[in-house]
């Protein structure tokens, strides 16, 4: 895309210095649409770990926070909320430090906004910790879309059988990493981020309550690193079994 496009873009990342941060930064650098990458280091106890990574990327704008804002379940909510007041770009995207963006992520979302949508969001794909593709998320982070039906899955592990009846959550979700929000709109809904554990849901709810209309690019441009055991909680369904990571996967 022509770099003379009028819309400027900021990508905001909060980090505690996890090694995956380097991959997240590279994915922003590889975007086909120009953007600035702001990385907020969430507390002085993480400065050293983060600095050793950030020094490799002089184009990144680092912000070292003296205190940890993510405690008590707020996670990256305080940083995402404050970002709307701190960056100067026209559009804000968000990226967790353990996830990555496909090369056309920013470009495709800017295009949705330029076509008249108040804000834009992508779809996401699940990857494991080794960066191997698992599947597309066609069930949870769908924004305005909903799934057609619930899912019933029979699982047999070491001769123990359990049926999973996965009920669709009617509370619509756009995952944090999937958003592209014009800054003036983010300012109006930003307090939604500061909600324990469900900041992305609350932010989406705020946008809807303010009557902002978002559209999806329809593209799976977020590579989301997923902990399947955390989502599905195998240990709750099979309490008598000690499962290896390989078995869980």
């Amino acid at each position: 895309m022509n770099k003379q496009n009028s819309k400027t873009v900021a990508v905001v990342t909060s980090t505690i210095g996890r090694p995956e941060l380097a991959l997240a930064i590279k994915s922003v650098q590889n975007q086909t649409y120009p953007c600035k990458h702001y990385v907020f280091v969430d507390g002085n106890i993480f400065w050293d770990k983060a600095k050793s990574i950030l020094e490799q990327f002089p184009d990144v704008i680092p912000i070292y926070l003296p205190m940890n804002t993510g405690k008590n379940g707020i996670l990256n909510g305080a940083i995402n909320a404050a970002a709307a007041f701190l960056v100067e770009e026209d559009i804000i995207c968000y990226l967790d430090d353990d996830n990555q963006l496909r090369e056309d992520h920013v470009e495709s979302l800017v295009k949705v906004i330029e076509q008249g949508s108040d804000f834009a969001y992508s779809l996401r794909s699940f990857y494991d910790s080794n960066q191997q593709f698992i599947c597309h998320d066609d069930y949870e982070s769908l924004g305005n879309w909903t799934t057609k039906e619930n899912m019933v899955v029979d699982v047999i592990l070491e001769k123990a059988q359990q049926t999973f009846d996965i009920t669709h959550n009617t509370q619509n979700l756009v995952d944090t990493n999937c958003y592209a929000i014009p800054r003036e709109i983010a300012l109006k809904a930003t307090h939604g981020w500061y909600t324990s554990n469900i900041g992305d849901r609350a932010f989406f709810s705020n946008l809807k309550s303010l009557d902002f209309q978002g559209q999806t690019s329809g593209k799976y441009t977020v590579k989301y690193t997923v902990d399947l055991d955390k989502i599905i909680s195998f240990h709750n369904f099979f309490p008598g079994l000690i499962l290896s990571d390989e078995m869980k996967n």
Side-chain angles (χ1 to χ4, degrees):
M1 181 171 284
N2 192 321
K3 293 187 178 182
Q4 294 180 349
N5 279 274
S6 58
K7 300 291 185 183
T8 56
V9 176
V11 178
V12 172
T13 294
S14 58
T15 188
I16 55 175
R18 290 188 286 192
E20 295 88 349
L21 173 62
L23 294 176
I25 293 173
K26 290 177 182 178
S27 76
V28 175
Q29 291 183 335
N30 290 334
Q31 291 300 299
T32 56
Y33 192 100
C35 48
K36 285 187 179 181
H37 195 184
Y38 297 83
V39 177
F40 292 78
V41 183
D42 197 19
N44 55 9
I45 60 174
F46 305 113
W47 284 5
D48 290 342
K49 284 199 302 181
K51 188 175 182 180
S52 66
I53 298 171
L54 291 169
E55 286 179 338
Q56 305 172 40
F57 302 100
D59 293 337
V60 170
I61 302 170
I63 299 96
Y64 291 90
L65 300 178
M67 66 296 204
N68 178 241
T69 69
K71 58 186 177 182
N72 301 324
I74 294 299
L75 307 177
N76 56 8
I79 291 172
N80 289 345
F85 297 92
L86 300 176
V87 305
E88 298 180 339
E89 284 67 34
D90 301 317
I91 296 172
I92 304 174
C93 298
Y94 309 88
L95 177 63
D96 295 342
D97 66 353
D98 60 339
N99 297 326
Q100 299 166 54
L101 304 176
R102 207 172 74 180
E103 290 85 352
D104 59 338
H105 176 78
V106 172
E107 180 177 348
S108 60
L109 293 181
V110 170
K111 186 176 295 184
V112 172
I113 293 173
E114 288 181 334
Q115 289 172 348
S117 182
D118 290 329
F119 65 93
Y121 59 92
S122 72
L123 301 176
R124 65 180 181 177
S125 297
F126 289 144
Y127 284 73
D128 65 20
S129 58
N130 295 317
Q131 311 305 316
Q132 297 299 307
F133 174 78
I134 300 173
C135 64
H136 295 314
D137 176 13
D138 291 330
Y139 193 73
E140 188 177 26
S141 180
L142 300 178
N144 298 326
W145 295 351
T146 58
T147 54
K148 292 183 178 180
E149 57 188 18
N150 298 332
M151 297 187 295
V152 178
V153 181
D154 288 319
V155 177
I156 300 175
L157 292 176
E158 297 183 2
K159 299 183 180 180
Q161 183 170 353
Q162 180 71 44
T163 297
F164 296 84
D165 186 0
I166 305 175
T167 303
H168 176 250
N169 190 331
T170 57
Q171 197 175 21
N172 297 87
L173 167 70
V174 172
D175 179 76
T176 300
N177 301 266
C178 299
Y179 278 109
I181 309 285
R183 186 164 53 88
E184 64 271 17
I185 292 178
L187 285 167
K188 295 176 181 179
T190 195
H191 61 280
W193 286 119
Y194 200 76
T195 306
S196 179
N197 295 314
I198 58 168
D200 45 11
R201 289 188 190 276
F203 184 69
F204 188 54
S205 178
N206 281 359
L207 289 169
K208 291 194 295 182
S209 68
L210 293 167
D211 204 28
F212 291 120
Q213 303 299 316
Q215 297 293 333
T216 179
S217 66
K219 299 181 179 181
Y220 301 91
T221 54
V222 169
K223 299 180 179 181
Y224 187 92
T225 303
V226 64
D227 183 340
L228 290 176
D229 188 40
K230 181 178 179 181
I231 289 180
I232 302 175
S233 300
F234 280 112
H235 60 279
N236 291 335
F237 290 97
F238 299 94
L241 297 180
I242 298 175
L243 304 176
S244 66
D245 290 341
E246 182 179 2
M247 179 66 76
K248 291 173 186 175
N249 288 336

